Each structure stands twice: as structure tokens, then as C-alpha cells.
């Protein structure tokens, strides 16, 4: 029996996540790999919003910031467990995405991009300026999740690097599974339909405004959870997490790897997380090399690295 | 007048719209009963597609009313009309090009497949079985329009004639009470036209009311129960095919284009 696209994608992902640690010579590699996973998680949200529904957001780091600061603030001010703070952050992000999404999703293309950029900047400005609460540009400490200690208590001893690698990898796998489920069902198909033609989508009974809003809210939750995990892992959070560079980074990762495909976008996240580490060899030419690679990919593999290469291979095959 | 029985499914009264001071459509009215095929004919620019767009919720009419199965639906959004049983195809094709042919038709079943967002995200068995049922129904519809062998192909790669049939299959997925077909045979060869012709009659026979815009006069005359003739946005004549084809104003305004080319455009 032929494996469905969904399960082959999940198997590939699972295999890579499981096998990769065999090649990690030091804890530094765990740290980088866990960053790949957390970025991968955020980028899956972009796949749902941009790849499926065709809507552009340049402000999703705002939601990552909300998720991150929820984990920093809620344990201090509300006495919440950091895990519960992650959930609270996701709920706040979802609520805010619902409120912000309604008006801005009426815009299309560049206009939507700019409006969402404005939202992201707003969040990062609040986090920077409300220093009495957020600690300002210096950021603030984040409480320990406590899960690693608990695992050690039941006999499963992991280093901090290992622990976060497995937590983030698990989160990314769950995120990928949810997004791939969505893709095969009415909700995901409706998003892809309105991406193709909003007029036709409405004609078959799809509430286009509502479908876009649900994609926006779901992708905000992805960004928020990724932000929370990053904050919990770093034990420190600064307003940079909500900055527009981070928003643009998310979109770039997705587009570079292939925004229409979950696997592709995660690959893009991996490439853009790892490349700066690899390119340090080029010293001051690092940024130039990075820019050059991105330009070449966009010129020769416009659908992104993974879908582009797959198309090339299939084209050769027939 | 039609001999079909039953109360009308679609009643259009005094419908009008103005574009930049121009009366694109003015005071047009007609009614459709279940199983009836009503055709709108008229020269290019007569307002046929504009009329369709007003009925299907894309344009807000400036005057007049549309009633669907007894309910006033004037200017109602397309997706709400779809829920009430109105479905349409487009003159200039509105398909989902990046999806497979099968998925295009499956999206026509959106309202029947749609459950809760969480059931979809978590891949609940209920959502899975709904999708399976919808897929089978979509394949059956593809077979009906003769596209079953193209099911897995990307829709954007299909020929124009095939896309016309794909659009009809997608519209049928809604099991519409009223179906608006905007030039279903445009760009099709003689064999394809004949197939579409037969398909339309079949659909009507099953009780769907069909509103048709078509330039193929042979087809219109053969399958219509009732014909409404538009010119410059106004209804200039209506009746059964025989009556309409004899009407001097119709010959002047429209059929004249073919018979007496020199009188056209007046």
C-alpha cells in the first residue's frame, strides 16, 4: 500500500528528529537543533496562513512575543505554573489575533503585509517601553518549567540541551501533525480554495472572511507557543523576540523551504537556523553568503527548496 | 410559458444596477420553477453576466428583488446563497488551479463536509469518514461529467473544455435547487457541447431549476423552456423558443447579428 503524503511527511520528520542526536558531538548541537525545532513550529503556522490560505503576515513575531512574555510574567504576577502560562499566552494570542485579524484580513497582498507589520511593531514597542512590567529592552528572567527536574526524579536524566531538543521536537511534530490533518479536511481545503479564487470559494459556500480569520488565529497560536518554548528554554526574554526582523525571518524561512509544504517550511527553518552557524567560517562575508544563497534559491527554485527539488526530480523521472 | 408545475424557486423582479451612470441592467424580471431551463440571451454587453452576478450575490442590485424558494435574498453574500441552494458557474472560469481535479469537486461539498475545526485538526474519525464519503461522491460527479480519469491531475493543467465541465461538477456538488450556468459550452467543440447539452437536460430533469446564459443558439433553442432576451440591459422580449425566435425585436437586436449583419449594433 502506498503511504499517504501526510504519513510519509511525518515519518521523514520523526526519523530525522530521532536519528539526528546520533550525530551531535556536543551539547551545543542540541542547543542549535532545539532552535531549529522551535523555529520549525512557528513556521508551520506560516504554512497554514500563507501556504494554505495565501494571506501574508509580517507581524507574527508579535504573537511569539506575547507567548514569550506570558511565560515570563504570568508566573510572577498570577502565580501560574510556566506550563499554564504557555497555554494562557496561546489563548491571549488567539484572542488578539481574532480582534486584529477581523479588520486587517479585509486587506489583500502588500496592504495586509504592511498592516500586520504594524501590529508586530506595536507589540514590540509595548514590550520595550512598558519597562515597569516587562523590564524594557533588557528583558526579564523566566521561571524554570520544572519538567526536567521532575523527569530526573523518575529516573530520566537529560541535560538541558537534550531536554529542550526533545520538548521542541515533540512540539514541532505535533504541530506538523495538526497542520497536515487540517490540510486533508474541509477546513484546510477551504483555505486552499480561497487562496485559488475567493469568488469561487464563496460560491461553494465557504465563508471566506471567517476561514481567513481562523487561519490567522491558528497561525498566531503556533507563533505564540514557539515564543513560549523559546523563552522557557532561554530562561530569559527580550523584546527582540517580537521585533519585525523576527517576523520577517519566519516568513523567509517558510518561503525559502517551500511555504506550501509543512516539510518544506521546516526545512527552510533548519537551513536559516543552521546556515549562520556554518557560515561563520566566512567571517565578515557571512551575511553576503546568506543573501546570495537566498537569492539563488528564489531564482531557481521559486516554490521553495523542498517543493522545487521534488518537482525537478519528478520532472527528470518521467 | 412553461408547462412545469410547482411554485417558482427563483423569482427575479425589477432588478437593476447602475455602473458609473450607465444603466447596466434595468427592470429585469422572470421566474424559474423546479426542473425548468430558462435562458438569458442577448448581444455582448447586454447585461447577462451582470444579471447573474446580481442574482448570485457578487453585485448589490440598485433596485428590484431576488427571491429564492420564497425567501428574499437580494444582495445576499454568495456563501449564504450557497447554503440556501443556489450555485453557479462562471463565464471566465473560477477554478482552484493549484488543487487536483478531485479536490476542486470535493470543495463543492464544503457545506456537507464541514464539521468543527477541532475535529479537522485532531483528525477525528467523524471528520475522516465525512471526507471519505465526500471523496466517493466527488468521484461519482467526475464520472458524470466524464472527467474521472483526470481526477488526480492538477486542475490548472486541464483544457478549457474540461474546466467548463469541472466547474459544472463542482456546482452540482452543492445539490443546488437553482443552478446558474454562464456560457457552459463556450470554447467547447461540437461533441463536448452535445455532452454538456445532455448533462444540462439531465440536471433539470432531476428537478433543479436552471438559469442559462449561452451563445450557442442551437443549444438554447433546443433545451430552453423559456427564453428572456436582453438588450442594453433591458428585457426586450420573452417566451418559448419558437415565439422568441420569431420576435422582430429579437431578430433585430440579436439574431440579426447572424442573419442580417448590417443591422447589428443599432
Amino acid at each position: 500500500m502506498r503511504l499517504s503524503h501526510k504519513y510519509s511527511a511525518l515519518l521523514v520528520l520523526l526519523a530525522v528528529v530521532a536519528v539526528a542526536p546520533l550525530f551531535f558531538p556536543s551539547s551545543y548541537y542540541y542547543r542549535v537543533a532545539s532552535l531549529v525545532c522551535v523555529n520549525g513550529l512557528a513556521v508551520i503556522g506560516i504554512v497554514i496562513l500563507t501556504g494554505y490560505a495565501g494571506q501574508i503576515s509580517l507581524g507574527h513575531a508579535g504573537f511569539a512575543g506575547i507567548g514569550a512574555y506570558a511565560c515570563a510574567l504570568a508566573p510572577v504576577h498570577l502565580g501560574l505554573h510556566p506550563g499554564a502560562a504557555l497555554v494562557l499566552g496561546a489563548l491571549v494570542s488567539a484572542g488578539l489575533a481574532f480582534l486584529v485579524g477581523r479588520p486587517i484580513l479585509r486587506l489583500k497582498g502588500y496592504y495586509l503585509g504592511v498592516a500586520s507589520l504594524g501590529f508586530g511593531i506595536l507589540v514590540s514597542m509595548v514590550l520595550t517601553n512598558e519597562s515597569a512590567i516587562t523590564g524594557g529592552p533588557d528583558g526579564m528572567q523566566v521561571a524554570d518549567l520544572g519538567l526536567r527536574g521532575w523527569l530526573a526524579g523518575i529516573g530520566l536524566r537529560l541535560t538541558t540541551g537534550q531536554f529542550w531538543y526533545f520538548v521542541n521536537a515533540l512540539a514541532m511534530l505535533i504541530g506538523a501533525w495538526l497542520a497536515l490533518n487540517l490540510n486533508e479536511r474541509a477546513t484546510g481545503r477551504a483555505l486552499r480554495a480561497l487562496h485559488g479564487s475567493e469568488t469561487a470559494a464563496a460560491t461553494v459556500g465557504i465563508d471566506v472572511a471567517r476561514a481567513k480569520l481562523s487561519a490567522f488565529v491558528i497561525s498566531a497560536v503556533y507563533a505564540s507557543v514557539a515564543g513560549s518554548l523559546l523563552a522557557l528554554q532561554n530562561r530569559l526574554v527580550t523584546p527582540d523576540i517580537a521585533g519585525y526582523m523576527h517576523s520577517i525571518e519566519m516568513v523567509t524561512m517558510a518561503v525559502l523551504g517551500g511555504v506550501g509544504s509543512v516539510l518544506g517550511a521546516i526545512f527552510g527553518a533548519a537551513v536559516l537556523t543552521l546556515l549562520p552557524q556554518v557560515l561563520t567560517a566566512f567571517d565578515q562575508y557571512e551575511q553576503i553568503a546568506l543573501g546570495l544563497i537566498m537569492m539563488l534559491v528564489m531564482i531557481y527554485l521559486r516554490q521553495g527548496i523542498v517543493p522545487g527539488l521534488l518537482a525537478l526530480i519528478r520532472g527528470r523521472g518521467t | 410559458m412553461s408547462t412545469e408545475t410547482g411554485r417558482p424557486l427563483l423569482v427575479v423582479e425589477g432588478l437593476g444596477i447602475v455602473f458609473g451612470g450607465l444603466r447596466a441592467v434595468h427592470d429585469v424580471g422572470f421566474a424559474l420553477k423546479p426542473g425548468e431551463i430558462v435562458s438569458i440571451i442577448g448581444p455582448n454587453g447586454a447585461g447577462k453576466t451582470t444579471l447573474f452576478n446580481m442574482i448570485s450575490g457578487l453585485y448589490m442590485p440598485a433596485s428590484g428583488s431576488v427571491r429564492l424558494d420564497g425567501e428574499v435574498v437580494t444582495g445576499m453574500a454568495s456563501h449564504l446563497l450557497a447554503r440556501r441552494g443556489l450555485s453557479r458557474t462562471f463565464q471566465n472560469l473560477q477554478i482552484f488551479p493549484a488543487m487536483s481535479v478531485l479536490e476542486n469537486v470535493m470543495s463543492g461539498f464544503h457545506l456537507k463536509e464541514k464539521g468543527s475545526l477541532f475535529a479537522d485538526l485532531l483528525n477525528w474519525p467523524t471528520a475522516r469518514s465525512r471526507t471519505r464519503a465526500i471523496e466517493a461522491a466527488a468521484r461519482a460527479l467526475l464520472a458524470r461529467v466524464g472527467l474521472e480519469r483526470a481526477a488526480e491531475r492538477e486542475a490548472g493543467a486541464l483544457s478549457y473544455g474540461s474546466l467548463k465541465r469541472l466547474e459544472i461538477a463542482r456546482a452540482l456538488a452543492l445539490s443546488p435547487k437553482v443552478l446558474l450556468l454562464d456560457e457552459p459550452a463556450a470554447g467547447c467543440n461540437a461533441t463536448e457541447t452535445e455532452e454538456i447539452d445532455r448533462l444540462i437536460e439531465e440536471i433539470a430533469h432531476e428537478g433543479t431549476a436552471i438559469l442559462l446564459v449561452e451563445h450557442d443558439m442551437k443549444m438554447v433553442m433546443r433545451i430552453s423552456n423559456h427564453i428572456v432576451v436582453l438588450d442594453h440591459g433591458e428585457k426586450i422580449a420573452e417566451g418559448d423558443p419558437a415565439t422568441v425566435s420569431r420576435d422582430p425585436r429579437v431578430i433585430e437586436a440579436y439574431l440579426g447579428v447572424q442573419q442580417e449583419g448590417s443591422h447589428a449594433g443599432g
Side-chain angles (χ1 to χ4, degrees):
Chain A
M1 201 188 98
R2 222 173 124 258
L3 213 53
S4 77
H5 164 74
K6 176 170 93 178
Y7 288 108
S8 36
L10 283 174
L11 269 181
V12 168
L13 216 51
L14 184 66
V16 172
V17 163
V19 171
L22 299 178
F23 302 94
F24 292 169
S26 71
S27 62
Y28 167 74
Y29 284 75
Y30 275 105
R31 157 100 194 131
V32 175
S34 70
L35 273 180
V36 168
C37 292
V38 89
N39 285 333
L41 178 67
V43 158
I44 297 168
I46 303 294
V47 170
I48 293 172
L49 181 69
T50 309
Y52 294 177
Q55 308 301 306
I56 294 166
S57 169
L58 298 177
H60 260 52
F63 298 116
I66 289 166
Y69 276 85
C71 284
L73 293 168
V76 179
H77 295 283
L78 304 173
L80 278 183
H81 184 272
L86 177 146
V87 176
L88 177 70
L91 289 175
V92 171
S93 288
L96 204 59
F98 185 80
L99 292 176
V100 173
R102 282 189 98 83
I104 73 169
L105 287 167
R106 300 164 75 130
L107 304 169
K108 290 191 196 325
Y110 311 122
Y111 305 101
L112 175 61
V114 172
S116 58
L117 183 67
F119 163 76
I121 290 174
L122 212 65
V123 173
S124 93
M125 274 171 61
V126 169
L127 295 176
T128 311
N129 295 333
E130 294 298 317
S131 48
I133 306 168
T134 63
D138 297 334
M140 59 186 295
Q141 301 276 328
V142 179
D144 181 27
L145 181 58
L147 186 59
R148 193 168 76 90
W150 182 81
L151 284 175
I154 60 164
L156 191 60
R157 289 180 191 284
L158 296 170
T159 66
T160 312
Q162 286 171 333
F163 172 75
W164 282 106
Y165 172 69
F166 289 115
V167 167
N168 293 347
L170 185 67
M172 181 185 75
L173 281 167
I174 293 171
W177 179 67
L178 294 174
L180 289 165
N181 284 340
L182 201 66
N183 189 40
E184 315 187 302
R185 300 280 165 257
T187 312
R189 198 176 309 111
L191 296 179
R192 285 182 289 130
L194 74 89
H195 189 176
S197 161
E198 289 190 16
T199 309
T203 306
V204 297
I206 294 166
D207 185 339
V208 171
R210 215 187 119 171
K212 282 184 193 174
L213 191 60
S214 61
F216 195 69
V217 170
I218 294 168
S219 62
V221 170
Y222 272 89
S224 181
V225 172
S228 293
L229 290 173
L230 204 57
L232 290 168
Q233 177 182 5
N234 292 341
R235 301 290 307 274
L236 175 81
V237 57
T238 66
D240 284 347
I241 192 167
Y244 73 92
M245 272 312 289
H246 188 208
S247 290
I248 289 167
E249 200 177 73
M250 282 187 208
V251 175
T252 311
M253 285 173 175
V255 171
L256 188 76
V259 72
S261 123
V262 169
L263 217 52
I266 292 174
F267 187 75
V271 169
L272 277 196
T273 311
L274 297 176
L275 261 188
Q277 319 283 337
V278 177
L279 293 177
T280 44
F282 289 89
D283 204 20
Q284 74 260 45
Y285 300 111
E286 179 196 326
Q287 297 295 327
I288 297 177
L290 195 62
L292 202 63
I293 290 171
M294 280 163 53
M295 280 168 67
L296 288 174
V297 168
M298 284 300 103
I299 291 168
Y300 292 106
L301 300 167
R302 291 221 10 222
Q303 298 165 287
I305 297 172
V306 171
L309 286 180
L310 283 178
L312 274 183
I313 293 164
R314 284 197 195 114
R316 294 272 156 79
T318 48
Chain B
M1 276 290 152
S2 157
T3 55
E4 318 296 315
T5 51
R7 65 180 182 138
L9 273 173
L10 184 76
V11 181
V12 174
E13 277 175 338
L15 216 55
I17 193 167
V18 179
F19 290 141
L22 181 80
R23 292 199 307 200
V25 171
H26 179 66
D27 195 22
V28 172
F30 53 85
L32 254 95
K33 289 177 191 156
E36 203 176 22
I37 301 175
V38 172
S39 292
I40 314 279
I41 63 169
N44 283 327
K48 305 182 295 287
T49 295
T50 306
L51 184 64
F52 260 40
N53 287 346
M54 282 193 284
I55 296 171
S56 63
L58 293 183
Y59 295 161
M60 185 69 182
S63 57
S65 70
V66 180
R67 266 180 297 150
L68 179 63
D69 210 2
E71 186 189 2
V72 177
V73 296
T74 319
M76 188 181 272
S78 301
H79 70 275
L80 298 175
L81 287 168
R83 269 173 221 188
R84 286 162 175 77
L86 184 134
S87 176
R88 73 167 289 183
T89 67
F90 294 85
Q91 183 189 350
N92 52 352
L93 290 173
Q94 292 282 348
I95 55 142
F96 308 126
M99 284 189 190
S100 74
V101 169
L102 177 66
E103 278 198 306
N104 264 269
V105 181
M106 285 174 78
S107 34
F109 286 101
H110 178 77
L111 294 170
K112 290 169 196 161
E113 188 189 3
K114 192 167 69 97
S116 83
L117 172 64
F118 292 99
D120 283 1
L121 274 171
L122 298 171
N123 201 24
W124 279 351
T126 49
R128 252 187 323 218
S129 64
R130 263 201 307 271
T131 301
R132 262 200 301 273
I134 290 310
E135 185 183 329
R139 284 189 191 279
L141 272 180
L142 279 177
R144 190 168 175 191
V145 299
L147 286 174
E148 68 273 31
R149 297 181 64 181
E152 318 299 336
R153 288 181 61 192
E154 197 176 88
L158 256 57
S159 72
Y160 190 80
S162 301
L163 288 175
K164 281 281 178 192
R165 282 181 288 157
L166 175 58
E167 251 201 332
I168 296 177
R170 188 182 65 197
L172 285 178
L174 283 95
S175 323
K177 292 183 209 160
V178 176
L179 177 60
L180 278 59
L181 298 171
D182 199 346
E183 300 197 20
C188 295
N189 62 34
T191 327
E192 286 172 329
T193 306
E194 219 167 276
E195 276 168 31
I196 287 175
D197 190 330
R198 196 166 40 234
L199 184 63
I200 294 172
E201 282 190 304
E202 250 177 58
I203 300 164
H205 193 70
E206 288 159 14
T208 302
I210 294 175
L211 188 63
L212 179 71
V213 164
E214 182 51 59
H215 277 300
D216 185 334
M217 273 307 120
K218 274 198 298 196
M219 177 172 167
V220 168
M221 292 300 165
R222 193 165 55 228
I223 68 175
S224 306
N225 300 107
H226 190 78
I227 296 175
V228 175
V229 189
L230 293 188
D231 191 22
H232 295 104
E234 297 191 43
K235 183 164 78 177
I236 58 164
E238 66 178 317
D240 59 44
T243 315
V244 164
S245 59
R246 281 195 306 268
D247 192 304
R249 281 166 305 176
V250 177
I251 294 167
E252 159 94 28
Y254 186 50
L255 299 174
V257 174
Q258 289 157 358
Q259 292 168 9
E260 306 163 69
S262 56
H263 290 263

